[in-house]
Amino acid sequence: MNSIQYLVNSLLGVYMLVVMLRMWLQYCKADFYNPISQAVVKLTDPVLNPIRKTFKAYKNIDIAALLFVFLLGLIKYPLLAILGGTWSFDTVAANVGLFALIGVLTLLKIFGEMILYVIFIGAVLSWFRRGNDPLAYLLYQLGEPVLSPIRRLLPKTGMIDFSPMILAFVLFWLDKVMYDIVPFGLWKIV
């Protein structure tokens, strides 16, 4: 991977995380007046608003955001091949189904990474910050839909919350499972 491919790959990965975060903000009904939420909205509205005219939200799930991340995952590897000089139209046309599978896998992987970052940053900040903090409250809102079912299953342990650790373990384990079950080593390149 040359330097241009690396740069494009990194920028696409970060932007897909931001778009997925936008979808999760809407699903969690997070505070959209939070400065971080406002920044995410401003970064994603230019690309999502045209898609939203056709694809409306369904049960608080932003279909436009999911579709956009899928499309970015779909075009990411042909774009990297073009930038690497190994592109041929026949190869891309013959592998459209494979690129669609890569788009779906990208959607799953970006969602898992976004959840992992939310719980990790929330856990680390909980060690240092106490009180009213917009970032801590936003991370609480974003982590609660996935952490509260785990908390209900765990015994009460006092002040220590083990649910982020268990969720992180499950996410890492699912990542390894995907390496085993996804054919052709596609999970590795996603």
Side-chain angles (χ1 to χ4, degrees), residues 52-67:
R52 280 198 187 103
K53 292 177 183 172
T54 306
F55 297 96
K56 305 291 182 196
Y58 177 74
K59 293 189 179 184
N60 239 16
I61 297 173
D62 190 357
I63 303 299
L66 293 175
L67 180 64

Side-chain angles (χ1 to χ4, degrees), residues 16 20 24-25 35-36 38 53 63 70 96 100 102 110 129 154 159 175-176 184:
M16 284 189 284
M20 189 62 73
W24 195 243
L25 283 166
I36 297 162
Q38 288 293 312
K53 292 177 183 172
I63 303 299
F70 167 76
V96 170
I102 289 173
I110 292 294
R129 295 184 175 183
L154 292 177
M159 293 183 61
D175 186 52
K176 297 302 177 196
F184 313 118

